[in-house]
DNA sequence: ACCTATGTTGGATC
DNA sequence: AGATCCAACATAGG
């Protein structure tokens, strides 16, 4: 799925393109992943203005007038695309938002894992808070000490799946977990209790550096991700480990290995990233 | 054709 | 409690 850099890219583009616009009509073509229902969404959002677009972790929140919110999680293969009026939706477009400027916002999701949730302000606040998201890594206050303290509440956890749990750092998924661990020279299977302060500092620095650079590049399109305009992100050529198994490590030259960690493919350097 | 992979995550199970 | 597994689904590639 879109991880922090990809969702942040969409947030910025949506703020630019659709905030301030009115939704004149919504067509729902597949409503199973919409709550409370596709019909309720069509009814509630017709005529409503989009006031702001926010992001928390990988969750997007579109704020409408009259205190309504649309929470959007794209999961693995979700996309939001702005299209000209009268665009023919592709096979996996599940909802179309017709905007007051004539354009359309298409929600597409091949694997149908993602969701749209409509809720009032209070419910939306409670929902977002209830996810247990940790700090936003690109905001002030994300220190290596706090990150380390949070991770060390789970001393026996494997470092990589824990990074992806959202509870200590919001917004990291498989690609950026792989990258950050390579950069910080930490083995993906390392138990948290075995990661010393120096490595934690390196990890913190890597997370911030990589996520910043990836946002600047408008994200990574390793597989399905496209931005609001249907363009791929430009960060893939800058990836040092993800998708590079068999290719030489950019630090030491030894071919990268690939293993399965918590069910997810994980490239790493067996020489640089010792356990 | 069949088996495996794929950017997520929360609920079940060990 | 904490760690690990797997389903939800569609498609591509070996």
């Amino acid at each position: 799925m879109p991880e922090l850099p990809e969702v942040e890219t969409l947030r910025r583009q949506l703020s630019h393109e659709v905030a301030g616009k009115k939704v004149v009509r919504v067509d729902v073509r597949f409503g199973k992943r919409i709550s409370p229902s596709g019909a309720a969404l069509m009814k509630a959002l017709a005529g409503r203005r989009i006031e702001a677009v926010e992001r928390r972790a990988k969750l997007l929140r579109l704020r409408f007038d009259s205190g309504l919110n649309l929470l959007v999680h794209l999961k693995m293969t979700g996309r939001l695309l702005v299209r000209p009026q009268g665009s023919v939706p592709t096979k996996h477009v599940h909802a179309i938002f017709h905007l007051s400027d004539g354009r359309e916002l298409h929600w597409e999701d091949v694997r149908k894992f993602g969701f749209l949730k409509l809720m009032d302000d209070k419910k939306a606040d409670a929902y977002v808070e209830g996810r247990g998201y940790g700090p936003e890594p690109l905001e002030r206050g994300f220190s290596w000490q706090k990150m380390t303290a949070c991770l060390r509440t789970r001393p026996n956890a494997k470092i990589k799946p824990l990074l992806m749990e959202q509870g200590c750092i919001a917004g990291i998924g498989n690609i950026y977990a792989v990258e950050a661990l390579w950069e910080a020279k930490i083995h993906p299977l390392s138990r948290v209790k075995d990661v010393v302060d120096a490595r934690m500092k390196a990890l913190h620095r890597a997370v911030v550096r990589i996520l910043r650079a990836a946002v600047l590049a408008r994200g990574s399109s390793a597989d399905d991700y496209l931005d609001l305009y249907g363009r791929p992100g430009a960060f893939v050529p800058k990836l040092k480990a993800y998708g590079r198994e068999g290719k030489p490590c950019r630090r030491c030259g030894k071919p990268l290995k690939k293993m399965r960690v918590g069910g997810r493919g994980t490239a790493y350097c067996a020489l640089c990233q010792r356990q």
Side-chain angles (χ1 to χ4, degrees), chain A residues 4-5 137-138 170-172 176 206-216:
Chain A
L4 184 150
L138 298 186
I172 295 185
Y176 298 106
V207 163
V208 172
R209 202 194 66 73
I210 292 164
L211 292 178
R212 254 191 210 140
V215 170
L216 283 177

Side-chain angles (χ1 to χ4, degrees), chain A residues 163-182:
Chain A
L163 286 181
M164 295 164 63
E165 269 187 33
Q166 312 303 306
C168 291
I169 309 163
I172 295 185
N174 199 35
I175 293 180
Y176 298 106
V178 165
E179 289 301 293
L181 291 172
W182 180 88

Side-chain angles (χ1 to χ4, degrees), chain A residues 5-211:
Chain A
E6 293 77 31
V7 182
E8 177 60 18
T9 297
L10 284 169
R11 187 200 65 75
R12 292 176 183 190
Q13 295 175 338
L14 286 165
S15 292
H16 187 249
E17 298 291 343
V18 311
K21 305 280 189 323
K22 207 184 260 186
V23 172
V24 295
R25 189 176 90 250
V26 186
D27 293 334
V28 171
R29 311 166 82 228
F30 175 82
K32 204 173 148 196
R33 300 289 293 164
I34 299 175
S35 87
S37 70
L41 184 80
M42 292 194 280
K43 190 164 181 191
L45 292 187
R48 298 272 67 83
R49 182 179 304 278
I50 302 164
E51 303 274 354
V53 185
E54 299 168 4
R55 178 189 60 77
R56 181 77 173 97
K58 305 174 194 172
L59 189 65
L60 279 170
R61 177 174 183 169
L62 280 69
R63 287 186 186 262
F64 287 80
D65 55 18
S66 69
L68 274 179
N69 301 266
L70 186 65
L71 301 181
V72 182
H73 202 304
L74 298 171
K75 296 277 180 119
M76 301 270 271
T77 55
R79 291 173 178 164
L80 291 171
L81 298 156
V82 278
R83 288 276 145 93
Q85 191 159 29
S87 297
V88 178
T90 60
K91 188 174 168 190
H92 302 290
V93 169
H94 306 319
I96 302 171
F97 299 77
H98 298 268
L99 304 173
S100 46
D101 63 3
R103 293 185 301 168
E104 303 167 358
L105 179 64
H106 289 209
W107 173 48
E108 180 180 76
D109 190 343
V110 170
R111 290 175 71 181
K112 300 176 174 164
F113 289 179
F115 60 73
L116 306 185
K117 289 182 191 294
L118 187 67
M119 359 185 141
D120 63 30
D121 281 336
K122 227 176 121 186
K123 287 260 173 62
D125 288 349
Y127 181 84
V128 175
E129 278 163 30
R131 299 306 92 201
Y133 294 138
E136 285 291 332
L138 298 186
E139 284 178 14
R140 293 182 59 83
F142 177 65
S143 67
W144 82 268
Q145 291 95 335
K146 281 186 192 164
M147 182 197 82
T148 302
C150 181
L151 295 171
R152 284 184 179 156
T153 63
R154 303 274 298 280
N156 291 312
K158 293 169 188 155
I159 187 78
K160 191 198 170 218
L162 185 57
L163 286 181
M164 295 164 63
E165 269 187 33
Q166 312 303 306
C168 291
I169 309 163
I172 295 185
N174 199 35
I175 293 180
Y176 298 106
V178 165
E179 289 301 293
L181 291 172
W182 180 88
E183 176 109 358
K185 301 187 188 176
I186 298 170
H187 193 284
L189 289 177
S190 292
R191 302 282 162 172
V192 169
K193 63 185 172 208
D194 299 323
V195 180
V196 300
D197 280 0
R199 293 295 98 216
M200 287 293 194
K201 279 189 201 179
L203 178 62
H204 176 269
R205 209 176 328 124
V207 163
V208 172
R209 202 194 66 73
I210 292 164
L211 292 178

